[in-house]
Amino acid sequence: MRLDINEKVDKLRSELRGEMSGLRLDLNEKMDKLRSDFDTALMSTVTWCAGIAITLFVGMAGQGLYLGTQINKLAARLPPVSPVPPGPDRPAASPARTVPHAPPQPGSAPDTR
């Protein structure tokens, strides 16, 4: 009877090992497929993000260049600036800008200019 039980246990053990081996192979195949799908999705997302960033950069640079050329074209069409003669309501333009004097500080010598 003991030999019969040992044989049955050995048979069940070998069947269990075979099934476990099959499950392990099936699980490894599914994990490989999942890893491959995840890598594909990740690369697709990274590609889209990089494409959007490059498009934004190129668009902003292109708009800056376009606006720069338009400003230069407008500046080239403007007539040269001529000095305006002083009128009765307008003082003559001076080349140097005068800075108003600061009020005297307490304890300092008065300005004699």
Side-chain angles (χ1 to χ4, degrees):
M1 188 159 158
R2 184 178 287 176
L3 290 175
D4 188 37
I5 291 175
N6 284 339
E7 287 177 11
K8 287 181 181 180
V9 168
D10 288 339
K11 182 180 175 187
L12 288 174
R13 186 177 294 143
S14 66
E15 287 177 11
L16 183 62
R17 282 185 185 156
E19 287 182 25
M20 292 296 286
S21 177
L23 288 174
R24 185 178 303 119
L25 290 175
D26 188 40
L27 182 62
N28 285 337
E29 288 174 7
K30 288 182 179 181
M31 289 293 290
D32 288 342
K33 184 178 180 336
L34 183 64
R35 185 177 296 120
S36 173
D37 291 346
F38 179 76
D39 288 344
T40 302
L42 181 65
M43 285 307 295
S44 175
T45 303
V46 167
T47 302
W48 273 101
C49 289
I52 289 171
I54 290 170
T55 302
L56 286 172
F57 178 73
V58 169
M60 289 172 60
Q63 189 169 5
L65 290 173
Y66 173 76
L67 288 175
T69 57
Q70 293 300 313
I71 289 171
N72 287 338
K73 286 179 184 179
L74 286 174
R77 285 194 283 173
L78 290 176
V81 178
S82 61
V84 178
D89 61 338
R90 197 174 333 161
S94 64
R97 183 175 167 215
T98 58
V99 178
H101 295 290
Q105 299 294 323
S108 64
D111 194 10
T112 57
R113 291 191 237 178

XYZ file of all heavy atoms in Angstrom:
850
model
N 0.816 -1.185 0.000
C 0.000 0.000 0.000
C 0.867 1.260 0.000
O 0.547 2.238 -0.678
C -0.881 -0.036 1.232
C -1.890 1.018 1.246
S -3.099 0.389 2.355
C -3.945 1.603 2.925
N 1.955 1.207 0.788
C 2.850 2.352 0.834
C 3.479 2.579 -0.532
O 3.623 3.731 -0.965
C 3.924 2.122 1.883
C 4.822 3.297 2.064
C 5.834 3.072 3.128
N 5.173 3.136 4.444
C 5.755 2.916 5.587
N 7.025 2.576 5.613
N 5.119 3.004 6.704
N 3.871 1.516 -1.203
C 4.450 1.649 -2.543
C 3.437 2.221 -3.525
O 3.777 3.047 -4.375
C 4.963 0.294 -3.040
C 6.187 -0.262 -2.344
C 6.484 -1.669 -2.861
C 7.367 0.646 -2.553
N 2.220 1.823 -3.392
C 1.164 2.325 -4.268
C 0.954 3.829 -4.044
O 0.813 4.588 -4.991
C -0.129 1.548 -3.999
C -1.223 1.869 -4.989
O -0.880 2.058 -6.182
O -2.405 1.932 -4.592
N 0.935 4.239 -2.801
C 0.772 5.672 -2.475
C 1.982 6.444 -2.992
O 1.836 7.531 -3.572
C 0.572 5.867 -0.961
C -0.786 5.321 -0.538
C 0.669 7.334 -0.591
C -1.046 5.346 0.935
N 3.189 5.927 -2.798
C 4.393 6.605 -3.285
C 4.375 6.746 -4.809
O 4.780 7.774 -5.354
C 5.654 5.864 -2.835
C 5.973 6.105 -1.370
O 5.523 7.097 -0.792
N 6.729 5.205 -0.776
N 3.907 5.723 -5.480
C 3.823 5.799 -6.940
C 2.816 6.860 -7.390
O 3.069 7.628 -8.310
C 3.439 4.429 -7.518
C 4.528 3.403 -7.481
C 4.055 2.053 -7.988
O 2.934 1.978 -8.566
O 4.796 1.079 -7.808
N 1.672 6.899 -6.693
C 0.661 7.896 -7.037
C 1.167 9.316 -6.749
O 0.938 10.238 -7.539
C -0.633 7.627 -6.280
C -1.394 6.448 -6.789
C -2.678 6.247 -6.027
C -3.413 5.018 -6.552
N -4.663 4.797 -5.839
N 1.866 9.491 -5.628
C 2.415 10.806 -5.276
C 3.477 11.207 -6.299
O 3.519 12.359 -6.749
C 2.977 10.805 -3.834
C 3.807 12.050 -3.563
C 1.853 10.695 -2.824
N 4.330 10.270 -6.703
C 5.346 10.569 -7.721
C 4.701 10.929 -9.057
O 5.151 11.847 -9.758
C 6.288 9.388 -7.902
C 7.239 9.202 -6.729
O 7.427 10.208 -5.984
O 7.770 8.090 -6.558
N 3.626 10.210 -9.394
C 2.927 10.503 -10.648
C 2.306 11.888 -10.588
O 2.412 12.686 -11.533
C 1.854 9.442 -10.901
C 1.109 9.634 -12.187
C 0.049 8.547 -12.367
C -0.769 8.834 -13.614
N -1.889 7.928 -13.740
N 1.646 12.211 -9.465
C 1.045 13.541 -9.308
C 2.114 14.637 -9.311
O 1.935 15.716 -9.887
C 0.219 13.609 -8.015
C -1.096 12.854 -8.012
C -1.726 12.885 -6.624
C -2.042 13.468 -9.031
N 3.249 14.351 -8.679
C 4.349 15.321 -8.629
C 4.866 15.603 -10.043
O 5.112 16.754 -10.403
C 5.452 14.792 -7.729
C 6.552 15.793 -7.505
C 7.594 15.272 -6.541
N 7.005 15.128 -5.210
C 7.287 14.154 -4.355
N 8.145 13.211 -4.671
N 6.724 14.111 -3.182
N 5.038 14.570 -10.850
C 5.545 14.764 -12.210
C 4.507 15.491 -13.072
O 4.856 16.349 -13.895
C 5.942 13.435 -12.832
O 4.813 12.616 -13.033
N 3.199 15.174 -12.878
C 2.157 15.910 -13.609
C 2.154 17.386 -13.211
O 2.027 18.273 -14.055
C 0.782 15.294 -13.337
C 0.536 13.973 -14.015
C -0.822 13.388 -13.635
O -1.650 14.105 -13.020
O -1.066 12.216 -13.962
N 2.310 17.645 -11.916
C 2.333 19.025 -11.420
C 3.533 19.777 -11.975
O 3.406 20.943 -12.390
C 2.353 19.032 -9.885
C 2.318 20.402 -9.214
C 1.030 21.129 -9.572
C 2.433 20.246 -7.707
N 4.693 19.118 -12.029
C 5.882 19.757 -12.602
C 5.667 20.086 -14.081
O 6.056 21.151 -14.552
C 7.090 18.853 -12.448
C 7.660 18.859 -11.073
C 8.922 18.034 -10.999
N 9.388 17.965 -9.619
C 10.143 17.020 -9.133
N 10.537 16.015 -9.901
N 10.521 17.049 -7.879
N 5.051 19.178 -14.800
C 4.776 19.419 -16.224
C 3.830 20.589 -16.420
O 4.040 21.445 -17.282
N 2.767 20.626 -15.612
C 1.818 21.737 -15.719
C 2.466 23.059 -15.306
O 2.234 24.090 -15.938
C 0.588 21.451 -14.863
C -0.321 20.383 -15.442
C -1.556 20.154 -14.597
O -1.969 21.088 -13.868
O -2.119 19.057 -14.666
N 3.260 23.046 -14.253
C 3.952 24.264 -13.801
C 4.924 24.757 -14.868
O 5.044 25.961 -15.098
C 4.689 24.015 -12.478
C 3.766 23.789 -11.307
S 2.760 25.217 -10.925
C 3.965 26.260 -10.164
N 5.599 23.825 -15.515
C 6.522 24.198 -16.587
C 5.759 24.838 -17.744
O 6.184 25.845 -18.306
C 7.292 22.968 -17.062
O 8.131 23.298 -18.141
N 4.614 24.266 -18.096
C 3.787 24.842 -19.156
C 3.270 26.223 -18.786
O 3.268 27.140 -19.607
N 2.835 26.379 -17.528
C 2.371 27.691 -17.069
C 3.500 28.720 -17.087
O 3.298 29.881 -17.444
C 1.775 27.578 -15.664
C 0.423 26.891 -15.553
C 0.028 26.727 -14.090
C -0.631 27.695 -16.297
N 4.695 28.293 -16.694
C 5.850 29.188 -16.689
C 6.158 29.670 -18.105
O 6.403 30.858 -18.333
C 7.061 28.492 -16.079
C 8.258 29.400 -15.921
C 9.449 28.704 -15.261
N 9.106 28.153 -13.965
C 9.168 26.854 -13.644
N 9.556 25.965 -14.541
N 8.867 26.435 -12.445
N 6.139 28.737 -19.064
C 6.396 29.120 -20.453
C 5.319 30.065 -20.981
O 5.620 31.062 -21.653
C 6.485 27.874 -21.339
C 7.710 26.986 -21.141
C 7.580 25.720 -22.001
C 8.977 27.742 -21.492
N 4.066 29.778 -20.651
C 2.959 30.632 -21.076
C 3.084 32.030 -20.461
O 2.897 33.047 -21.141
C 1.633 29.986 -20.688
C 0.440 30.716 -21.268
O 0.517 31.144 -22.441
O -0.583 30.840 -20.546
N 3.418 32.068 -19.179
C 3.586 33.356 -18.503
C 4.747 34.141 -19.093
O 4.648 35.359 -19.302
C 3.802 33.134 -17.002
C 3.946 34.391 -16.149
C 2.685 35.230 -16.218
C 4.263 34.012 -14.712
N 5.866 33.485 -19.391
C 7.006 34.164 -20.003
C 6.656 34.729 -21.382
O 7.063 35.840 -21.726
C 8.206 33.228 -20.103
C 8.884 33.010 -18.770
O 8.760 33.830 -17.868
N 9.582 31.897 -18.631
N 5.881 33.974 -22.170
C 5.464 34.460 -23.481
C 4.575 35.698 -23.349
O 4.751 36.682 -24.064
C 4.717 33.364 -24.248
C 5.594 32.241 -24.744
C 4.770 31.113 -25.373
O 3.536 31.285 -25.528
O 5.367 30.082 -25.705
N 3.638 35.635 -22.407
C 2.743 36.785 -22.202
C 3.516 38.001 -21.684
O 3.239 39.137 -22.086
C 1.612 36.411 -21.250
C 0.600 35.480 -21.890
C -0.539 35.162 -20.951
C -1.531 34.240 -21.655
N -2.679 33.920 -20.802
N 4.475 37.784 -20.801
C 5.292 38.896 -20.294
C 6.123 39.520 -21.414
O 6.263 40.744 -21.487
C 6.205 38.412 -19.165
C 5.489 38.094 -17.877
S 4.791 39.555 -17.090
C 6.273 40.367 -16.565
N 6.684 38.681 -22.292
C 7.455 39.209 -23.427
C 6.568 40.034 -24.357
O 6.969 41.105 -24.823
C 8.117 38.064 -24.195
C 9.270 37.429 -23.431
O 9.779 38.070 -22.482
O 9.649 36.283 -23.770
N 5.351 39.551 -24.605
C 4.433 40.305 -25.466
C 4.038 41.616 -24.807
O 4.003 42.663 -25.448
C 3.190 39.473 -25.774
C 2.246 40.173 -26.736
C 1.049 39.319 -27.062
C 0.064 39.948 -28.006
N 0.002 41.348 -28.117
N 3.754 41.581 -23.510
C 3.395 42.794 -22.778
C 4.549 43.795 -22.778
O 4.351 44.993 -22.975
C 2.989 42.436 -21.348
C 2.517 43.584 -20.473
C 1.244 44.187 -21.048
C 2.267 43.095 -19.051
N 5.775 43.320 -22.579
C 6.948 44.179 -22.595
C 7.119 44.818 -23.976
O 7.408 46.006 -24.099
C 8.191 43.377 -22.213
C 9.440 44.217 -22.094
C 10.649 43.397 -21.640
N 10.428 42.871 -20.295
C 10.409 41.577 -19.980
N 10.592 40.675 -20.907
N 10.230 41.192 -18.739
N 6.912 44.024 -25.017
C 7.028 44.535 -26.381
C 5.951 45.591 -26.663
O 6.244 46.647 -27.239
C 6.902 43.378 -27.370
O 6.862 43.858 -28.681
N 4.719 45.325 -26.232
C 3.637 46.304 -26.424
C 3.919 47.587 -25.658
O 3.683 48.694 -26.159
C 2.299 45.715 -25.974
C 1.799 44.605 -26.886
O 2.342 44.463 -28.007
O 0.876 43.871 -26.467
N 4.420 47.459 -24.435
C 4.730 48.637 -23.627
C 5.852 49.450 -24.266
O 5.770 50.683 -24.332
C 5.129 48.213 -22.206
C 5.479 49.367 -21.321
C 4.493 50.172 -20.795
C 6.806 49.653 -21.028
C 4.819 51.247 -19.992
C 7.136 50.711 -20.223
C 6.144 51.523 -19.696
N 6.903 48.783 -24.738
C 8.004 49.492 -25.395
C 7.528 50.220 -26.648
O 7.929 51.363 -26.911
C 9.131 48.524 -25.761
C 9.901 48.034 -24.543
O 9.781 48.663 -23.468
O 10.613 47.006 -24.664
N 6.652 49.573 -27.416
C 6.111 50.206 -28.618
C 5.283 51.442 -28.256
O 5.425 52.505 -28.882
C 5.236 49.203 -29.395
O 6.033 48.058 -29.716
C 4.689 49.805 -30.663
N 4.428 51.329 -27.254
C 3.598 52.467 -26.830
C 4.460 53.591 -26.282
O 4.207 54.774 -26.559
C 2.580 52.014 -25.789
N 5.487 53.249 -25.516
C 6.370 54.268 -24.956
C 7.134 55.011 -26.050
O 7.224 56.244 -26.030
C 7.346 53.627 -23.966
C 8.327 54.578 -23.273
C 7.550 55.549 -22.391
C 9.329 53.798 -22.452
N 7.646 54.283 -27.022
C 8.378 54.927 -28.113
C 7.452 55.812 -28.948
O 7.835 56.881 -29.406
C 9.058 53.882 -28.996
C 10.283 53.263 -28.364
S 11.483 54.486 -27.787
C 11.988 55.215 -29.315
N 6.216 55.372 -29.131
C 5.252 56.181 -29.865
C 4.972 57.491 -29.122
O 4.945 58.564 -29.727
C 3.954 55.397 -30.053
O 2.981 56.210 -30.651
N 4.806 57.407 -27.812
C 4.557 58.607 -27.008
C 5.755 59.540 -27.027
O 5.610 60.758 -27.174
C 4.210 58.203 -25.563
O 3.082 57.335 -25.589
C 3.897 59.412 -24.715
N 6.936 58.997 -26.868
C 8.150 59.820 -26.896
C 8.311 60.490 -28.261
O 8.666 61.671 -28.353
C 9.390 58.968 -26.539
C 10.677 59.693 -26.855
C 9.350 58.572 -25.076
N 8.015 59.759 -29.323
C 8.119 60.319 -30.669
C 7.141 61.481 -30.843
O 7.514 62.537 -31.377
C 7.835 59.230 -31.720
O 8.764 58.164 -31.531
C 7.969 59.766 -33.127
N 5.911 61.303 -30.390
C 4.933 62.386 -30.496
C 5.355 63.606 -29.678
O 5.247 64.747 -30.141
C 3.550 61.903 -30.048
C 2.779 61.282 -31.155
C 2.619 59.949 -31.388
C 2.084 61.956 -32.200
N 1.869 59.753 -32.506
C 1.520 60.975 -33.033
C 1.884 63.288 -32.516
C 0.764 61.284 -34.147
C 1.122 63.589 -33.635
C 0.585 62.605 -34.435
N 5.814 63.392 -28.458
C 6.243 64.520 -27.609
C 7.423 65.254 -28.234
O 7.462 66.488 -28.251
C 6.588 64.026 -26.201
S 5.155 63.516 -25.254
N 8.400 64.521 -28.731
C 9.550 65.156 -29.371
C 9.115 65.890 -30.637
O 9.586 67.002 -30.909
C 10.607 64.100 -29.704
N 8.204 65.320 -31.391
C 7.712 65.984 -32.596
C 6.993 67.276 -32.280
O 7.176 68.289 -32.968
N 6.186 67.263 -31.233
C 5.481 68.482 -30.838
C 6.465 69.543 -30.369
O 6.350 70.722 -30.714
C 4.438 68.164 -29.747
C 3.289 67.366 -30.362
C 3.907 69.424 -29.089
C 2.315 66.801 -29.349
N 7.465 69.162 -29.572
C 8.457 70.122 -29.089
C 9.249 70.717 -30.255
O 9.487 71.931 -30.301
C 9.402 69.443 -28.089
N 9.658 69.893 -31.196
C 10.414 70.396 -32.354
C 9.537 71.314 -33.192
O 9.986 72.369 -33.662
C 10.962 69.215 -33.179
C 12.076 68.513 -32.396
C 11.477 69.673 -34.538
C 12.528 67.202 -33.009
N 8.264 70.954 -33.377
C 7.350 71.789 -34.149
C 7.168 73.148 -33.491
O 7.173 74.184 -34.170
C 5.986 71.082 -34.294
O 6.189 69.826 -34.934
C 5.013 71.914 -35.087
N 7.010 73.168 -32.167
C 6.877 74.444 -31.459
C 8.134 75.293 -31.615
O 8.050 76.502 -31.861
C 6.592 74.203 -29.978
C 5.189 73.737 -29.640
C 5.104 73.362 -28.170
C 4.190 74.832 -29.951
N 9.292 74.687 -31.464
C 10.542 75.431 -31.584
C 10.706 76.001 -32.990
O 11.037 77.176 -33.156
C 11.735 74.526 -31.241
C 13.058 75.199 -31.397
C 13.481 76.148 -30.494
C 13.872 74.908 -32.478
C 14.700 76.789 -30.651
C 15.086 75.534 -32.646
C 15.503 76.475 -31.725
N 10.477 75.180 -34.003
C 10.626 75.641 -35.389
C 9.592 76.725 -35.699
O 9.901 77.713 -36.362
C 10.517 74.446 -36.363
C 10.391 74.901 -37.798
C 11.721 73.533 -36.204
N 8.377 76.557 -35.204
C 7.332 77.561 -35.422
C 7.678 78.899 -34.801
O 7.507 79.957 -35.416
N 8.173 78.873 -33.562
C 8.544 80.128 -32.894
C 9.728 80.782 -33.578
O 9.763 82.010 -33.747
C 8.826 79.856 -31.413
C 7.576 79.527 -30.634
S 7.880 78.984 -28.940
C 8.709 80.379 -28.248
N 10.708 79.992 -33.977
C 11.866 80.557 -34.670
C 11.447 81.137 -36.021
O 11.886 82.235 -36.405
C 12.939 79.480 -34.861
N 10.584 80.434 -36.739
C 10.110 80.935 -38.025
C 9.314 82.212 -37.883
O 9.465 83.143 -38.676
N 8.475 82.287 -36.866
C 7.700 83.494 -36.642
C 8.610 84.654 -36.259
O 8.405 85.786 -36.685
C 6.653 83.265 -35.562
C 5.683 84.407 -35.442
C 4.502 84.061 -34.562
O 4.468 82.995 -33.964
N 3.542 84.950 -34.484
N 9.633 84.386 -35.460
C 10.586 85.444 -35.110
C 11.320 85.958 -36.342
O 11.501 87.171 -36.503
N 11.752 85.049 -37.206
C 12.422 85.479 -38.433
C 11.474 86.266 -39.335
O 11.859 87.286 -39.917
C 12.975 84.266 -39.183
C 14.162 83.561 -38.536
C 14.479 82.284 -39.292
C 15.364 84.479 -38.507
N 10.236 85.810 -39.463
C 9.266 86.509 -40.295
C 9.004 87.916 -39.767
O 9.004 88.887 -40.525
C 7.965 85.712 -40.354
C 6.855 86.439 -41.061
C 6.845 86.536 -42.442
C 5.816 87.035 -40.352
C 5.834 87.212 -43.099
C 4.806 87.714 -40.995
C 4.816 87.807 -42.374
O 3.822 88.481 -43.020
N 8.767 88.033 -38.454
C 8.520 89.349 -37.882
C 9.740 90.261 -38.027
O 9.609 91.456 -38.272
C 8.120 89.224 -36.415
C 6.731 88.656 -36.175
C 6.497 88.459 -34.681
C 5.667 89.554 -36.761
N 10.941 89.701 -37.882
C 12.155 90.499 -38.059
C 12.269 91.047 -39.471
O 12.608 92.224 -39.663
N 11.973 90.227 -40.465
C 12.050 90.711 -41.850
C 10.958 91.737 -42.123
O 11.194 92.721 -42.831
C 11.936 89.554 -42.858
O 10.727 88.853 -42.628
C 13.121 88.616 -42.748
N 9.772 91.551 -41.567
C 8.708 92.531 -41.774
C 9.053 93.863 -41.127
O 8.808 94.921 -41.711
C 7.374 92.002 -41.215
C 6.818 90.820 -41.961
C 6.541 91.138 -43.413
O 5.954 92.162 -43.733
N 6.988 90.274 -44.302
N 9.637 93.837 -39.950
C 10.044 95.081 -39.288
C 11.137 95.764 -40.096
O 11.120 96.988 -40.276
C 10.490 94.790 -37.838
C 9.279 94.429 -36.988
C 11.236 95.977 -37.239
C 9.615 93.922 -35.609
N 12.095 94.996 -40.609
C 13.160 95.594 -41.421
C 12.606 96.196 -42.706
O 13.047 97.261 -43.141
C 14.231 94.554 -41.747
C 15.074 94.218 -40.539
O 15.161 94.990 -39.596
N 15.675 93.039 -40.555
N 11.626 95.540 -43.335
C 11.013 96.085 -44.545
C 10.278 97.383 -44.241
O 10.357 98.349 -45.003
C 10.057 95.076 -45.165
C 10.732 93.935 -45.867
C 9.691 92.975 -46.437
C 10.347 91.760 -47.065
N 9.341 90.815 -47.589
N 9.545 97.412 -43.128
C 8.837 98.639 -42.753
C 9.819 99.758 -42.425
O 9.609 100.905 -42.790
C 7.928 98.385 -41.555
C 6.663 97.593 -41.835
C 5.937 97.300 -40.531
C 5.748 98.353 -42.774
N 10.906 99.432 -41.745
C 11.900 100.454 -41.399
C 12.576 100.983 -42.649
O 12.931 102.167 -42.720
C 12.931 99.864 -40.438
N 12.767 100.147 -43.659
C 13.406 100.600 -44.890
C 12.488 101.538 -45.668
O 12.962 102.419 -46.391
C 13.772 99.400 -45.755
N 11.175 101.409 -45.535
C 10.238 102.273 -46.259
C 10.025 103.618 -45.578
O 9.494 104.528 -46.185
C 8.899 101.577 -46.404
C 8.929 100.477 -47.443
C 7.548 100.037 -47.799
N 7.013 99.180 -46.746
C 5.774 98.730 -46.699
N 4.922 99.065 -47.621
N 5.375 97.936 -45.723
N 10.401 103.743 -44.315
C 10.207 105.010 -43.608
C 11.174 106.063 -44.150
O 12.327 105.766 -44.462
C 10.435 104.828 -42.109
C 9.389 104.030 -41.352
C 9.825 103.858 -39.904
C 8.047 104.749 -41.399
N 10.716 107.302 -44.247
C 11.639 108.351 -44.684
C 12.656 108.630 -43.587
O 12.400 108.386 -42.404
C 10.723 109.560 -44.917
C 9.528 109.303 -44.075
C 9.380 107.813 -44.004
N 13.826 109.171 -43.959
C 14.820 109.483 -42.930
C 14.301 110.574 -42.003
O 13.536 111.439 -42.411
C 16.041 109.930 -43.719
C 15.564 110.230 -45.082
C 14.286 109.487 -45.293
N 14.709 110.535 -40.782
C 14.273 111.507 -39.776
C 15.075 112.778 -39.955
O 16.301 112.763 -40.002
C 14.470 110.928 -38.358
C 14.069 111.928 -37.303
C 13.693 109.647 -38.209
N 14.369 113.893 -40.087
C 15.052 115.189 -40.188
C 14.815 115.948 -38.894
O 13.769 115.824 -38.269
C 14.514 115.977 -41.380
O 13.134 116.213 -41.204
N 15.780 116.751 -38.488
C 15.581 117.517 -37.253
C 14.442 118.524 -37.440
O 14.303 119.139 -38.481
C 16.913 118.205 -37.018
C 17.635 118.126 -38.305
C 17.059 116.996 -39.093
N 13.633 118.645 -36.431
C 12.502 119.571 -36.472
C 12.984 120.922 -35.958
O 13.561 121.004 -34.874
C 11.352 119.037 -35.594
C 10.194 119.992 -35.568
C 10.930 117.671 -36.068
N 12.779 121.979 -36.746
C 13.216 123.299 -36.261
C 12.377 123.720 -35.065
O 11.198 123.384 -34.973
C 12.981 124.210 -37.461
C 11.965 123.510 -38.293
C 12.155 122.057 -38.047
N 12.994 124.431 -34.126
C 12.225 124.859 -32.953
C 11.146 125.865 -33.349
O 11.360 126.717 -34.193
C 13.266 125.463 -32.032
C 14.421 125.790 -32.899
C 14.366 124.868 -34.079
N 10.022 125.734 -32.777
C 8.922 126.654 -33.031
C 8.676 127.503 -31.809
O 9.377 127.401 -30.794
N 7.690 128.363 -31.873
C 7.422 129.231 -30.719
C 6.939 128.442 -29.497
O 7.173 128.849 -28.370
C 6.321 130.174 -31.217
C 5.753 129.543 -32.428
C 6.808 128.628 -32.987
N 6.305 127.312 -29.712
C 5.818 126.524 -28.575
C 6.728 125.351 -28.228
O 6.453 124.595 -27.337
C 4.414 126.004 -28.877
C 4.407 125.108 -30.103
O 5.333 125.211 -30.928
O 3.469 124.294 -30.220
N 7.841 125.198 -28.963
C 8.728 124.061 -28.773
C 10.164 124.568 -28.596
O 10.669 125.305 -29.445
C 8.645 123.178 -30.016
C 9.156 121.814 -29.822
C 8.918 120.944 -31.008
N 7.747 121.383 -31.784
C 7.514 121.041 -33.027
N 8.328 120.237 -33.640
N 6.460 121.474 -33.677
N 10.868 124.194 -27.517
C 12.264 124.636 -27.350
C 13.180 123.870 -28.305
O 12.831 122.824 -28.823
C 12.579 124.290 -25.897
C 11.644 123.176 -25.572
C 10.401 123.414 -26.396
N 14.334 124.420 -28.541
C 15.314 123.761 -29.410
C 15.810 122.490 -28.735
O 15.957 122.425 -27.521
C 16.477 124.699 -29.680
N 16.045 121.469 -29.547
C 16.543 120.207 -29.014
C 18.002 120.361 -28.635
O 18.789 120.938 -29.374
C 16.377 119.111 -30.047
N 18.352 119.870 -27.485
C 19.753 119.932 -27.059
C 20.350 118.544 -27.159
O 19.677 117.565 -26.895
C 19.855 120.468 -25.629
O 19.222 119.568 -24.750
N 21.627 118.447 -27.545
C 22.223 117.125 -27.688
C 22.420 116.406 -26.365
O 22.372 115.198 -26.294
C 23.559 117.405 -28.366
C 23.852 118.824 -28.078
C 22.537 119.511 -27.912
N 22.658 117.151 -25.294
C 22.899 116.509 -24.002
C 21.675 116.700 -23.120
O 21.103 117.782 -23.057
C 24.127 117.118 -23.333
N 21.318 115.695 -22.451
C 20.176 115.761 -21.549
C 20.651 116.303 -20.219
O 21.647 115.849 -19.667
C 19.595 114.356 -21.383
C 18.375 114.327 -20.546
C 17.796 112.928 -20.544
N 16.818 112.891 -19.480
C 16.578 111.847 -18.731
N 17.226 110.736 -18.946
N 15.682 111.887 -17.790
N 19.927 117.258 -19.694
C 20.319 117.832 -18.407
C 19.638 117.061 -17.299
O 18.482 116.677 -17.406
C 19.916 119.312 -18.322
O 18.512 119.406 -18.500
C 20.648 120.116 -19.382
N 20.384 116.832 -16.248
C 19.874 116.109 -15.093
C 19.553 117.136 -14.025
O 20.384 117.989 -13.709
C 20.928 115.096 -14.583
C 20.424 114.376 -13.353
C 21.292 114.136 -15.680
N 18.354 117.106 -13.488
C 18.041 118.088 -12.440
C 18.900 117.832 -11.206
O 19.295 116.715 -10.924
C 16.560 117.829 -12.159
C 16.296 116.464 -12.643
C 17.271 116.213 -13.753
N 19.185 118.922 -10.528
C 20.006 118.820 -9.314
C 19.172 118.240 -8.185
O 17.988 118.517 -8.068
C 20.535 120.202 -8.905
C 21.472 120.777 -9.920
N 22.723 120.277 -10.140
C 21.315 121.795 -10.797
C 23.315 120.964 -11.088
N 22.472 121.904 -11.520
N 19.812 117.450 -7.372
C 19.142 116.879 -6.209
C 19.000 117.957 -5.155
O 19.847 118.845 -5.036
C 19.960 115.718 -5.672
N 17.940 117.926 -4.376
C 17.807 118.923 -3.300
C 18.926 118.730 -2.287
O 19.414 117.624 -2.090
C 16.438 118.633 -2.699
C 16.109 117.244 -3.118
C 16.847 116.991 -4.387
N 19.350 119.823 -1.681
C 20.450 119.715 -0.708
C 20.031 118.852 0.479
O 18.900 118.894 0.932
C 20.719 121.148 -0.289
C 19.491 121.909 -0.658
C 18.844 121.182 -1.791
N 20.979 118.064 0.915
C 20.758 117.203 2.065
C 21.120 117.982 3.336
O 22.005 118.831 3.326
C 21.644 115.950 1.964
C 21.348 115.103 0.744
C 19.961 114.488 0.818
O 19.509 114.109 1.887
N 19.293 114.415 -0.323
N 20.423 117.686 4.415
C 20.763 118.390 5.662
C 22.199 118.065 6.084
O 22.636 116.926 6.000
C 19.764 117.863 6.680
C 18.861 116.927 5.970
C 19.319 116.799 4.567
N 22.925 119.089 6.479
C 24.307 118.916 6.930
C 25.307 118.984 5.804
O 26.509 118.854 6.029
N 24.897 119.195 4.545
C 25.850 119.295 3.450
C 26.045 120.753 3.075
O 25.223 121.615 3.385
C 25.367 118.493 2.237
O 24.184 119.055 1.748
N 27.125 121.019 2.393
C 27.429 122.398 1.986
C 26.496 122.791 0.865
O 26.158 121.982 0.004
C 28.870 122.472 1.515
N 26.039 124.046 0.825
C 25.131 124.481 -0.242
C 25.867 124.508 -1.589
O 27.079 124.752 -1.639
C 24.685 125.860 0.191
C 25.689 126.316 1.182
C 26.281 125.088 1.802
N 25.137 124.238 -2.651
C 25.692 124.232 -4.008
C 25.828 125.664 -4.496
O 24.893 126.448 -4.428
C 24.764 123.446 -4.931
C 25.423 123.109 -6.264
O 26.635 123.324 -6.379
O 24.693 122.632 -7.155
N 26.982 126.021 -5.006
C 27.241 127.419 -5.404
C 27.137 127.600 -6.901
O 27.597 128.600 -7.435
C 28.660 127.829 -4.941
O 29.597 126.909 -5.509
C 28.744 127.817 -3.433
N 26.581 126.737 -7.597
C 26.483 126.881 -9.051
C 25.494 127.887 -9.434
O 24.503 128.220 -9.282
C 26.141 125.551 -9.712
C 27.260 124.582 -9.630
C 26.963 123.429 -10.506
N 26.993 122.210 -9.687
C 26.743 121.029 -10.132
N 26.399 120.842 -11.353
N 26.828 119.988 -9.363
